[in-house]
């Protein structure tokens, strides 16, 4: 009996040692987490194995998933001090997890010359919080106007270059192609950003102050933000929210919409990093072209919304911060790694990887054109970094709820504008 009990205890102990521990890995393994699709997963795992081959004795434990649920899991891990050693994050999450700059390992003393030489100073600055370098950007992305050139050629219409031309395109589409045709498609958030750019051009301010925890729009600007959104929808410029909701979900990606595929919806206000996705489903003579961003006469601010694509941060509780920083540097600046990762996280910010991909013909012309357009606007100082809290999940949810009441006719512009200002300010104090 004693012998059987001893053997049972030994077997149980062996099984416990063999079973993988949730949220824990071997002491010598560096945990690396990210979200994405199959292509990003495959390339990133291959890049991690290349790093291991160059650093014998170092192991990278890859933890990856789709975007849904990633933030919730990471929030729980950080709260439990079991976060990954290296993690892919959104830029706005710095305001959530590191309000005073102490939520992640300070990379300033750990990064080498390669990072400082490869990343432009303005890109490095996006990862600093309270003087500490909390994260490093993989790339930079901004909103661009994409147009289906085939549709506009069939209609014998010029691609809109001004706000007036944009608003006039809606009725022209309705007259020529019917009630279901629209110059623009986009999710509700896309249209909020487009309407906000009009307000920034007119009033010189976004919704939230870029550096202070306060609503920057006054009453008139907030109401005009709502009215501009209404004008976009009422003038038949963009697909209405109820219509999108009835066609498989309000947040269904544009490239999956049949009316986009066949050219009935002929434009998109979106990130330059998804140009490949948007063009991948177009059929026949339908093809994308990059448009100019519409500007009000005399406007100084463009209102173009731009920020880092994704970033890499090292956990505050990382036990191997030096090797973690070296791994991040490798992911960002190594040219052989760049060949593997390609455009799986957008165009790289690092100079040598970008030059390599360009020289080897791995960057589509339209994406390069968009990249050049954005770079010119940034160099001119016309795309200031927005407030991180604008993309805070709770702020995003709040703005969406307000504009949904407008989209479904349950609120008018004055009431929605007041709610945006008052409710937005109260939420900023809480988050």
């Amino acid at each position: 009996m004693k012998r059987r009990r001893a053997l049972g205890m030994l077997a149980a102990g062996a099984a416990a040692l063999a079973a993988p521990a949730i949220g824990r890995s071997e002491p010598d393994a560096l945990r690396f987490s990210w979200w994405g699709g199959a292509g990003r997963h495959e390339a990133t795992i291959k890049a991690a194995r290349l790093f291991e081959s160059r650093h014998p004795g170092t192991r990278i434990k890859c933890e990856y998933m789709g975007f849904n649920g990633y933030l919730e899991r990471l929030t729980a891990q950080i709260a439990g001090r079991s976060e990954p050693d290296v993690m892919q994050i959104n830029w706005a999450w710095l305001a959530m997890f590191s309000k005073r700059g102490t939520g992640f390992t300070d990379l300033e003393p750990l990064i080498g010359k390669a990072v400082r030489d490869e990343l432009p100073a303005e890109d490095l600055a996006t990862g600093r919080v309270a003087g500490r370098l909390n994260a490093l950007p993989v790339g930079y992305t901004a909103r661009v106007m994409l147009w289906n050139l085939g549709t506009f050629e069939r209609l014998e219409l010029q691609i809109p270059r001004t706000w007036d031309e944009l608003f006039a395109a809606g009725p022209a589409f309705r007259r020529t192609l019917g009630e279901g045709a629209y110059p623009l498609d986009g999710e509700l958030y896309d249209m909020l950003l487009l309407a906000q750019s009009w307000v920034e051009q007119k009033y010189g301010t976004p919704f939230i102050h870029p550096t202070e925890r306060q609503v920057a729009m006054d009453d008139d600007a907030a109401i005009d933000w709502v009215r501009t959104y209404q004008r976009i929808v009422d003038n038949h410029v963009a697909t209405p929210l109820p219509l999108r909701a009835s066609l498989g979900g309000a947040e269904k990606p544009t490239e999956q919409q049949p009316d986009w595929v066949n050219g009935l919806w002929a434009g998109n206000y979106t990130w330059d990093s998804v140009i490949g996705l948007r063009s991948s489903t177009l059929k026949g003579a339908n093809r994308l072209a990059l448009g100019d961003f519409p500007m009000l006469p005399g406007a100084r601010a463009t209102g173009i919304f731009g920020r880092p694509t994704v970033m890499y941060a090292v956990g505050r509780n990382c036990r191997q911060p030096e090797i973690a920083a070296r791994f991040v540097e490798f992911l960002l600046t190594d040219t052989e790694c760049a060949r593997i990762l390609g455009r799986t996280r957008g165009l790289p910010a690092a100079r040598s990887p970008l030059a390599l991909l360009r020289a080897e013909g791995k960057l589509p012309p339209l994406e390069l054109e968009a990249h050049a357009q954005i770079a010119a606007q940034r160099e001119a100082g016309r795309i200031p970094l927005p407030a991180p809290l604008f993309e805070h999940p709770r702020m995003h949810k709040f703005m969406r709820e307000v504009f949904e009441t407008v989209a479904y006719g349950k609120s008018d512009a004055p009431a929605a504008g007041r709610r945006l200002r008052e409710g937005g300010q109260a939420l900023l104090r809480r988050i």
Side-chain angles (χ1 to χ4, degrees):
M1 178 68 71
K2 289 182 178 179
R3 184 172 181 271
R4 285 198 301 269
R5 184 180 301 162
L7 288 173
M9 292 175 65
L10 183 62
L17 289 173
I22 297 175
R24 185 185 63 177
S25 62
E26 296 82 352
D28 60 339
L30 202 69
R31 292 171 55 213
F32 173 36
S33 73
W34 71 88
W35 75 84
R40 179 182 292 181
H41 297 334
E42 181 181 355
T44 307
I45 292 170
K46 188 175 179 181
R49 299 300 167 247
L50 175 61
F51 183 82
E52 289 176 338
S53 71
R54 293 189 186 174
H55 299 82
T58 298
R59 290 189 58 249
I60 306 295
K61 183 176 184 294
C62 296
E63 303 174 0
Y64 50 94
M65 60 185 294
F67 183 74
N68 289 338
Y70 183 90
L71 176 58
E72 291 76 8
R73 185 181 73 169
L74 186 62
T75 301
Q77 289 173 327
I78 290 176
R81 301 183 65 182
S82 62
E83 74 273 14
D85 299 296
V86 177
M87 66 202 84
Q88 176 181 299
I89 65 171
N90 270 334
W91 169 71
W93 298 353
L94 292 175
M96 296 171 54
F97 298 128
S98 190
K99 295 179 181 179
R100 298 175 181 82
T102 58
F104 300 101
T105 291
D106 183 6
L107 296 173
E108 201 75 67
L110 299 175
I111 60 173
K113 185 175 183 293
V115 171
R116 301 183 195 279
D117 289 346
E118 289 287 339
L119 289 180
E122 60 268 27
D123 287 339
L124 275 175
T126 62
R128 289 196 176 93
V129 181
R132 297 179 178 89
L133 187 59
N134 275 206
L136 292 171
V138 177
Y140 182 89
T141 185
R143 293 282 173 148
V144 294
M145 304 297 299
L146 293 179
W147 300 106
N148 187 331
L149 195 57
T151 301
F152 279 86
E153 287 175 346
R154 289 194 297 273
L155 294 178
E156 298 183 347
L157 284 177
Q158 293 291 325
I159 287 176
R161 294 168 299 173
T162 67
W163 288 105
D164 287 343
E165 291 176 358
L166 177 61
F167 287 120
F173 265 64
R174 175 188 274 159
R175 284 194 307 270
T176 309
L177 295 179
E179 191 67 30
Y182 295 89
L184 278 177
D185 175 54
E187 300 173 24
L188 179 60
Y189 189 58
D190 301 331
M191 296 304 108
L192 300 192
L193 290 179
L194 183 60
Q196 182 185 231
S197 66
W198 188 94
V199 174
E200 282 195 64
Q201 290 176 22
K202 180 178 179 180
Y203 295 89
T205 180
F207 177 48
I208 299 176
H209 194 283
T211 59
E212 299 178 18
R213 199 173 276 253
Q214 66 180 41
V215 170
M217 287 185 183
D218 60 18
D219 289 335
D220 290 340
I223 293 170
D224 264 0
W225 187 17
V226 179
R227 284 177 174 155
T228 304
Y229 167 76
Q230 289 177 312
R231 187 181 178 193
I232 290 171
V233 175
D234 293 346
N235 278 37
H236 208 81
V237 174
T239 49
L241 178 61
L243 173 62
R244 286 190 115 259
S246 71
L247 298 174
E251 297 185 34
K252 184 177 179 179
T254 292
E255 69 272 8
Q256 296 178 17
Q257 300 282 359
D259 286 325
W260 168 264
V261 174
N262 61 33
L264 205 58
W265 299 351
N268 198 215
Y269 179 56
T270 190
W271 302 110
D272 70 304
S273 54
V274 301
I275 289 175
L277 283 174
R278 297 295 188 262
S279 62
S280 64
T281 58
L282 294 180
K283 293 183 178 180
N286 294 314
R287 63 197 187 281
L288 291 184
L290 184 70
D292 295 330
F293 196 74
M295 293 290 296
L296 290 174
R300 295 184 178 181
T302 62
I304 296 175
F305 195 85
R307 55 153 173 76
T309 47
V310 295
M311 310 187 86
Y312 293 131
V314 172
R316 181 174 58 179
N317 299 294
C318 178
R319 290 182 291 178
Q320 305 176 79
E322 292 82 7
I323 190 67
R326 200 174 308 156
F327 179 52
V328 170
E329 180 176 305
F330 163 82
L331 291 171
L332 294 177
T333 67
D334 186 87
T335 50
E336 190 174 350
C337 180
R339 281 195 179 96
I340 296 171
L341 295 177
R343 293 153 44 234
T344 55
R345 289 175 175 84
L347 272 62
R351 296 183 175 94
S352 294
L354 180 63
L356 173 77
L357 295 178
R358 188 197 304 262
E360 294 185 349
K362 295 182 178 179
L363 302 180
L366 189 59
E367 294 185 33
L368 284 173
E369 185 183 350
H371 183 268
Q373 183 188 79
I374 293 166
Q377 294 282 7
R378 290 185 76 192
E379 289 169 8
R382 295 169 67 84
I383 313 182
L385 203 60
L389 291 174
F390 185 86
E391 290 201 321
H392 190 289
R394 290 175 65 186
M395 182 60 70
H396 187 124
K397 182 174 182 289
F398 164 73
M399 291 186 295
R400 183 180 182 86
E401 288 174 349
V402 173
F403 278 90
E404 280 179 347
T405 65
V406 176
Y408 285 97
K410 297 179 180 179
S411 179
D412 60 14
R418 285 194 300 271
R419 186 180 171 196
L420 284 168
R421 275 184 42 79
E422 296 170 5
Q425 189 61 57
L427 182 55
L428 286 173
R429 286 194 291 265
R430 295 195 298 272
I431 61 177

